[in-house]
């Protein structure tokens, strides 16, 4: 091997130019990079040469200028392959320990080497550099997520979505009453105080809430005596939020629970005011609450479709306002859920009430409340076991057609796999659904199991939810004890092909319209969803949302808290990239897709997407070992 310092101006410029193109040195200024270049040494290593030996002292940060290297744990187990721009040797420098990895030149390689003293000085003086040189990909990704959150906090609109609820209340004096007051007196109190909502308390404890709508629907509409106590018509134990909660959280609670008034409490749990949906609507233009309100007010399918198609405008508004991916996906999902519910309501109004109880069940991303732009529909009907095809089939077939056709007109296109209530296979009595799941679980078919995983993310969004809960309880009872089925499901998850090559280069799919792309849904998000699903099924967790599944798995010991934190950071980072990508597409007038050209990524996004893929690959390996017998 040949070693040498940097002497000529051209050599220094070439090294500085190279450093400026690669993380983390691209975060340094011109003068700092130039000074760093002067401290570099250049070494050439022929193929198969040992650059660092395991168990020895290392005195350089190594940067691959050209060529490629292999990292072998203890000198035997291959752990990484790195190409141009790759860095190695820094963990031993940071922790002042002997090296754990042997590093061997995979091909003839030119390496820039920064002496230990100079590297440690660079590290100590640059907090941004410290995040990159954390011990592993998970740590780097955690720093990246922290950076994203800090950038959101500096966003022009962040103050709006992060505003504390206590500061949004307009009235200094809150009007309350006891639950024993008569309806007549409660109505007069509301009229005199000019309020549309009356919190009902016992002492300082909130026990109920009364609104103008309650008086219209529950009293005037039902000929109830106004001399009865208000407790007869109030909404008992309403949802509340703290004065310290933020506006974004309040919007999400209102949209998910379909409520229009939210009591706000102080640190002593005393009611200090009521926030209305109008308060929020007046603060935002095209937001989820406004679109949801328009969908609910729609009187025909055409009006539902017109309102629902504004979901793209909501998505860009959420991204532009700095809303994080978790909240954004829940808002987008709420719009999808409300669209389903309103279309079903309109269809039932036209066809008449259902002849037997049934539930509308959704699968996949909507069931998990993880929708993004461009979602299709995945749904079915669970019918009561009293179902008689001769008496009931025509009604539910027509109902399903009205629903699915309406969803398609609203932008939720027909499922390519025909997982819709219009397909008789997915419009069956509860007993048939149970038998189907039992066969899937007890005799899993390797050729079909990939196609059924979506059915293990299910949620009722209309009708008799008890039917779906009955099915879910039975499914979890079966899956949690069936090791063979869990092995098959884990094997499917572990078979995901992470789009990262040996040299940390992206492995791209080819799309006829969009060229060579990363498919963020199938190549990045699906593996994380699969990991969360395997833990949910193995532990019998009732949660459907991936984030909630992982957090619950950590609580009961199925997955380490550190592992969950790593996966959640991956999930947040990747979904943030997807929402920004889809927002850009919408602004250009294109439909939102999951296909992303790496050319559009910033260096920050590119490097940390690679870190995320590395973390995902590690956890897929864990699934393979723990559930699939290490079989791919």
């Amino acid at each position: 091997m040949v070693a040498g310092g940097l002497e000529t101006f051209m050599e220094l410029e070439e090294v500085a130019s190279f450093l400026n193109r690669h993380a983390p040195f691209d975060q340094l200024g011109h003068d700092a990079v130039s000074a760093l270049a002067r401290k570099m040494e250049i070494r050439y290593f022929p193929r198969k040469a040992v650059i660092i030996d395991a168990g020895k002292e290392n005195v350089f940060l190594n940067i691959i200028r050209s060529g490629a290297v292999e990292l072998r744990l203890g000198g035997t187990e291959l752990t990484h392959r790195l190409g141009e721009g790759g860095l190695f040797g820094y963990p031993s420098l940071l922790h002042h320990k002997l090296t754990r990895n042997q590093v061997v030149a995979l091909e003839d390689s030119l390496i820039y080497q920064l002496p230990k003293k100079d590297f440690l000085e660079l590290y100590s003086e640059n907090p941004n550099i410290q995040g990159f040189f954390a011990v592993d990909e998970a740590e780097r990704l955690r720093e990246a997520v922290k950076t994203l959150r800090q950038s959101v906090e500096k966003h022009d609109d962040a103050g709006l979505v992060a505003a504390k609820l206590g500061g949004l209340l307009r009235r200094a004096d809150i009007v309350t009453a006891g639950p024993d007051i008569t309806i007549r007196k409660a109505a007069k109190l509301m009229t005199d105080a000019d309020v549309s909502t009356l919190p009902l308390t016992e002492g300082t404890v909130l026990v109920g809430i009364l609104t103008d709508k309650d008086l219209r629907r529950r009293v005037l509409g039902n000929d109830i005596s106004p001399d009865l106590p208000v407790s007869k018509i109030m909404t008992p134990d309403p949802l509340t939020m703290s004065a310290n909660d933020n506006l974004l959280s309040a919007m999400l609670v209102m949209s998910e629970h379909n409520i229009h008034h939210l009591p706000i409490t102080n640190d002593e749990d005393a009611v200090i005011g009521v926030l209305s949906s109008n308060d929020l609507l007046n603060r935002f233009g095209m937001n989820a609450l406004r679109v949801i309100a328009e969908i609910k007010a729609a009187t025909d399918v055409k009006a539902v479709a017109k309102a629902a198609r504004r979901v793209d405008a909501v998505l860009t508004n959420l991204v532009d306002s700095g809303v994080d991916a978790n909240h954004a996906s829940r808002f987008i999902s709420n719009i999808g859920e409300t669209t389903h519910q309103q279309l079903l309501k309109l269809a039932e109004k036209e066809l008449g009430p259902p002849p037997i109880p049934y539930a509308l069940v959704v699968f996949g991303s909507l069931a998990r409340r993880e929708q993004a732009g461009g979602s299709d529909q995945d749904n079915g009907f669970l019918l009561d076991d009293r179902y008689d095809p001769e008496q009931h089939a025509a009604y539910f077939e027509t109902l399903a057609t009205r629903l699915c056709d309406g969803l398609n007109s609203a932008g939720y296109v027909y499922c390519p796999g025909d997982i819709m209530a219009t397909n008789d296979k997915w419009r069956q009595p509860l007993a048939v659904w149970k038998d189907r799941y039992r066969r899937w679980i007890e005799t899993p078919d390797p050729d079909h199991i990939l196609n059924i995983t979506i059915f293990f993310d299910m949620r009722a969004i209309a009708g008799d939810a008890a039917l779906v809960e009955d099915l879910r309880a039975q499914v979890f009872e079966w899956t949690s004890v069936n090791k063979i089925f869990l092995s098959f499901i884990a094997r499917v998850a572990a078979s995901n092909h992470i789009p990262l090559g040996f040299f940390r280069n992206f492995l791209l799919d080819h799309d006829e319209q969009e060229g060579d792309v990363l498919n963020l849904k199938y190549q990045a998000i699906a593996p994380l969803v699969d990991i969360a699903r395997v833990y949910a099924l193995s532990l019998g967790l009732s949660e459907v949302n991936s984030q909630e599944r992982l957090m619950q798995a950590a609580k009961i010991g199925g997955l380490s808290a550190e592992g969950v934190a790593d996966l959640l950071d991956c999930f947040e980072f990747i979904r943030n990239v997807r929402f920004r990508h889809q927002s850009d597409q919408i602004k250009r007038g294109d439909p939102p897709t999951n296909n992303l050209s790496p050319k559009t990524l910033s260096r920050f996004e590119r490097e940390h997407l690679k870190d995320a893929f590395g973390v995902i690959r590690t956890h897929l390996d864990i699934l393979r070992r723990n559930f699939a017998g290490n079989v791919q």
Side-chain angles (χ1 to χ4, degrees), residues 155 162 175 186 273 323-324 333 450 478 482:
H155 196 283
V175 177
V323 174
D324 64 276
S333 298
L450 179 63
W478 286 330
N482 193 308

Side-chain angles (χ1 to χ4, degrees), residues 357-368:
Y358 80 103
L360 168 60
V361 60
V362 291
F363 306 100
S365 61
L366 182 54
R368 298 190 305 269

